[in-house]
Amino acid sequence: MLAKLTTRPAVRRCAGAGVLTLALLGAGLPAAAAERPQPDLSRFYRQQPTWSPCKGTDMPKDLQCAKVTVPLDYARPRSGTLDIALARYRATGASQGSVLLNFGGPGGPGISELAADGKEFMDLTNGYDVVTFDPRGVGRSSPVSCGEGGDEPSGTTDDHADLSHPQALLQRVRQDAAECARYSGPVLAHIGTVNVSRDLDVIRQALGDKKLNYLGFSYGTRLGAVYAAQFPHKVGRFALDGVDTLTEPLSAQGAAGAAGQQTALDDFLDWCTADVACPFGQDRRAAGDRIVRLVNALDEKPAPTDFGASFSGQDLVGAISQALYSKQLWPSLERALASLVQDDDTRGVLSFAADGVGLPLRPGTAAVKATAATSPAGPRKDGGLVDPQDIPADNLPAALTAINCADDPDRPDGARLTKDLKDLLGTYEQASPVFGRYRLTQLLMCYGRPRGTDFIRDRVKNVDTAKMLLVGTRGDPATPYRWTVETAARLGPSAVVLDNKGDGHTGYASSMCVHHETDDFLLYGSLPPSGSSCPADGGDWSVTTTTDD
C-alpha cells in the first residue's frame, strides 16, 4: 500500500525531583541512545498555543487554528525548529480534554480535511476538543515538494510504468529523488513517522492532556502504533481504523495492495453486472476480462483528453483505485466507465484521477482538493507556517514518498531492483491482472534516497499500553483485513479488533456500527467484546460477537 510506517522504543519510569525532564527526553529513544545524556527538550514541553479563527475563505467560522514549535532534529534541538499547524473544534459538552485526528496518507493534511468534513466528528465534541494537525512536511507545516512536474509519487508515472527498460526507470527515479531534496529543504531529512510521533507528544502536552486520545485512519494507524511504542504510558483512548502493516517490505505491501484492490474491483463488478446499465454487460466473468482488455488497449493507444494530454491504461487503473475506496462512489464510477467505453469520453474517469494519487486516505477526503496550489517553489526554509495558497501542488505525493521512505530500511541496489522487477511481475499480475503492474512500480519508490529507520519493524511490538481499538474492514482495497489481525497480534494484548464486514477503505465514515462503537470507546471508554463484528451493510449499531476470524 502506498502509505505507512512507524517506530517505537520502551520508556522507563523515573522517580524523584528533577528527573521528569529526563523521562520526557528518553521517551521514544532506543535503549543505547537512552543511556547517553539526552538533549534538553523542556522548552518545547512548556508551550501554550494561542488559538484564533482559522484564516481562509474555506475555513468554518468556529474552527480555530494555532501552532506549536518542535525541534527540526530531536537529537540536536538547537539546530533549528519547525512550526506545526493545528486546528480544533471546541467541545460543546463537558470537556475531558482533546482527541487528536490523523486522516491518513502519509502526506494527508489534517486542517483542510477537518474544515471540509468536520461534521462527521461533531459527536466527539460532546466530550472533547476535536483537534487535528498538518504533520511536518505536510500542508502548512514546512511542506516538501519535488518541483514542477512532481505531481506523482516516484515510480508511478507512465514512463516509470514501462518495466521493459528498468535501467532508464531507475535513472529517472534517482533524478526525481535529487529534485525532491533540492526543493524540499531541511525538513526532508527529518520527516519520518518516528519524528511525527514525537511531535504528537509535544502537541499532547501543549493541549494540556496527561494522555493522548487519538483517532487515526490508514497511515494514521501506523503513526498511532509508533506513538504507543515510544510513549506507552501516555496512551489514552486510541482508535485505529484501516490498520496498516508494521513489518512487510515494500515488495510485499505492493502485492497485498494489488490483491486488496482486485477484491474491491471484483465486488464492484458483482454489483455492476447486476445493473443493465453496466458498460461491461451482465456476464460477470466476461466483465472482468473486458476491463483487463480496456486497460491494455489504453496502454497501447492512450485516449486524448480535453487538456491535450493523453490518458493511458495505467491512468485508468489509478482512477479506478481511487473510486474503489468508497462504495458510495460505485454509481459514479459505473457512469464514468460507461462514458469511456461507449463514447471515448475521459472526463468522468479523469475526475477520479484528479481526486488523488493513490493515497490511502480516509474515503471522502477533501485533502487533495483543499490543498492544491500553484506554487512549485517549495516550502519556506525558516520553519515557519506556510500560507495555504503557497502549499506546493505536489505536496501530497511528495510527502507520501518521503515519509514512506523514511520509514523503510530496505535499499536494494539497481541490479537487485531490476531482478526483483522481473521476478515479481508474475506474482503481482497473479495478485491482480488490473492493478499488478501499477503497484509493482512501488518497488522503485525509495531508490536514490537515504536508508530509512528500522525502528518500526524492530521495536513497534508488545506495547504495554491501555486497551486500543483496531478496526479492520473485510473489503478494504488499501489496508487488507489481515493487516489488522497481524498488527493486533504484534502490538499484543492491548489491541482489541473490531471486524467490519463491509467494503471500502476504513469503516468510520461508511458504517454506522463502526462509527458508533468508535465514538463509544473514545467518549466513554466502552470497548466492544473481543471477536465482535459490524455487519456488511454498516447500518446496525449493535455488534455481533463470534469466534470466526
Side-chain angles (χ1 to χ4, degrees):
M1 128 178 156
L2 286 180
K4 42 184 116 175
L5 298 125
T6 25
T7 63
R8 64 88 191 292
V11 177
R12 293 181 297 173
R13 287 186 145 179
C14 301
V19 189
L20 174 60
T21 299
L22 290 178
L24 287 170
L25 302 181
L29 294 175
E35 294 171 0
R36 299 193 296 267
Q38 299 303 315
D40 182 7
L41 301 177
S42 58
R43 69 185 179 101
F44 299 102
Y45 279 87
R46 292 196 298 263
Q47 297 178 78
Q48 292 184 340
T50 300
W51 297 92
S52 61
C54 295
K55 298 178 180 178
T57 57
D58 297 330
M59 292 291 114
K61 293 181 179 179
D62 54 344
L63 186 66
Q64 297 179 325
C65 283
K67 68 177 182 179
V68 297
T69 301
V70 298
L72 174 67
D73 181 353
Y74 276 91
R76 299 185 302 130
R78 295 187 178 182
S79 64
T81 62
L82 298 171
D83 288 338
I84 303 298
L86 308 176
R88 74 176 180 185
Y89 284 108
R90 295 303 306 271
T92 57
S95 177
Q96 52 187 318
S98 302
V99 60
L100 197 63
L101 310 183
N102 180 278
F103 297 103
I111 295 176
S112 58
E113 174 66 11
L114 188 62
D117 292 321
K119 61 183 182 295
E120 293 184 14
F121 306 97
M122 287 301 102
D123 288 346
L124 293 174
T125 62
N126 290 332
Y128 292 108
D129 290 345
V130 175
V131 183
T132 192
F133 68 110
D134 287 355
R136 58 170 64 203
V138 174
R140 306 177 190 197
S141 304
S142 297
V144 295
S145 172
C146 296
E148 292 189 40
D151 58 349
E152 297 190 27
S154 292
T156 62
T157 60
D158 288 341
D159 50 353
H160 288 166
D162 183 5
L163 301 179
S164 61
H165 301 89
Q167 294 305 320
L169 230 55
L170 293 175
Q171 182 178 359
R172 171 66 188 277
V173 175
R174 183 183 287 277
Q175 291 171 349
D176 287 350
E179 285 293 286
C180 296
R182 184 166 74 89
Y183 277 97
S184 293
V187 69
L188 187 65
H190 305 282
I191 197 177
T193 302
V194 174
N195 281 323
V196 176
S197 171
R198 302 196 70 178
D199 295 343
L200 282 188
D201 201 57
V202 174
I203 294 171
R204 173 200 59 77
Q205 181 73 15
L207 295 174
D209 293 333
K210 292 183 178 180
K211 294 190 175 183
L212 179 67
N213 303 304
Y214 179 80
L215 174 56
F217 300 98
S218 193
Y219 162 78
T221 69
R222 188 198 313 171
L223 175 58
V226 170
Y227 184 91
Q230 288 183 303
F231 304 97
H233 303 301
K234 298 299 181 182
V235 171
R237 294 171 184 170
F238 265 44
L240 310 179
D241 185 2
V243 181
D244 207 348
T245 180
L246 300 175
T247 57
E248 289 190 347
L250 287 178
S251 58
Q253 291 177 28
Q261 288 176 311
Q262 185 64 47
T263 297
L265 178 61
D266 290 342
D267 291 342
F268 165 76
L269 290 176
D270 288 342
W271 170 87
C272 182
T273 52
D275 180 7
V276 294
C278 183
F280 304 112
Q282 280 65 62
D283 185 323
R284 172 61 185 84
R285 178 171 296 187
D289 293 338
R290 288 190 66 185
I291 204 165
V292 172
R293 291 199 300 270
L294 177 61
V295 170
N296 292 338
L298 285 171
D299 275 335
E300 293 179 8
K301 186 179 179 181
T305 69
D306 291 345
F307 307 103
S310 58
F311 188 81
S312 71
Q314 297 309 299
D315 291 326
L316 176 60
V317 172
I320 292 173
S321 69
Q322 287 299 123
L324 292 176
Y325 274 17
S326 173
K327 192 172 183 178
Q328 296 174 348
L329 297 176
W330 287 5
S332 297
L333 177 60
E334 180 186 36
R335 291 191 296 270
L337 289 170
S339 295
L340 177 65
V341 170
Q342 296 164 9
D343 304 317
D344 294 327
D345 185 348
T346 60
R347 287 175 296 180
V349 285
L350 276 171
S351 69
F352 291 113
D355 281 349
V357 287
L359 297 175
L361 295 164
R362 194 178 60 88
T365 180
V368 175
K369 298 174 184 176
T371 59
T374 57
S375 170
R380 290 165 51 177
K381 304 302 189 288
D382 61 3
L385 294 184
V386 169
D387 192 281
Q389 66 196 29
D390 293 328
I391 297 172
D394 72 323
N395 178 235
L396 272 165
L400 178 147
T401 301
I403 296 169
N404 276 337
C405 295
D407 289 359
D408 185 80
D410 297 331
R411 289 298 183 273
D413 59 25
R416 173 64 184 274
L417 271 176
T418 299
K419 184 177 187 300
D420 286 347
L421 287 171
K422 294 179 180 178
D423 292 347
L424 290 171
L425 181 58
T427 300
Y428 272 61
E429 290 184 335
Q430 184 176 3
S432 171
V434 175
F435 300 99
R437 186 158 67 94
Y438 184 83
R439 296 306 296 261
L440 182 57
T441 57
Q442 184 178 341
L443 283 178
L444 307 177
M445 182 187 297
C446 300
Y447 184 70
R449 293 175 183 256
R451 183 180 183 272
T453 182
D454 55 11
F455 181 75
I456 297 170
R457 287 189 196 171
D458 292 348
R459 305 294 296 276
V460 184
K461 57 185 177 182
N462 302 322
V463 298
D464 181 16
T465 70
K467 293 288 186 180
M468 298 182 288
L469 177 63
L470 277 62
V471 180
T473 298
R474 293 284 179 162
D476 195 316
T479 50
Y481 178 77
R482 69 174 176 84
W483 284 354
T484 301
V485 177
E486 292 167 1
T487 297
R490 182 175 174 84
L491 294 178
S494 298
V496 174
V497 172
L498 177 60
D499 179 358
N500 178 26
K501 303 292 188 180
D503 293 296
H505 184 38
T506 73
Y508 190 83
S510 59
S511 167
M512 286 193 296
C513 174
V514 171
H515 196 111
H516 175 76
E517 294 298 326
T518 301
D519 284 358
D520 267 7
F521 171 58
L522 291 172
L523 287 167
Y524 313 115
S526 175
L527 273 170
S530 178
S532 296
S533 63
C534 283
D537 62 12
D540 186 353
W541 280 26
S542 63
V543 297
T544 301
T545 303
T546 68
T547 58
D548 181 11
D549 289 336

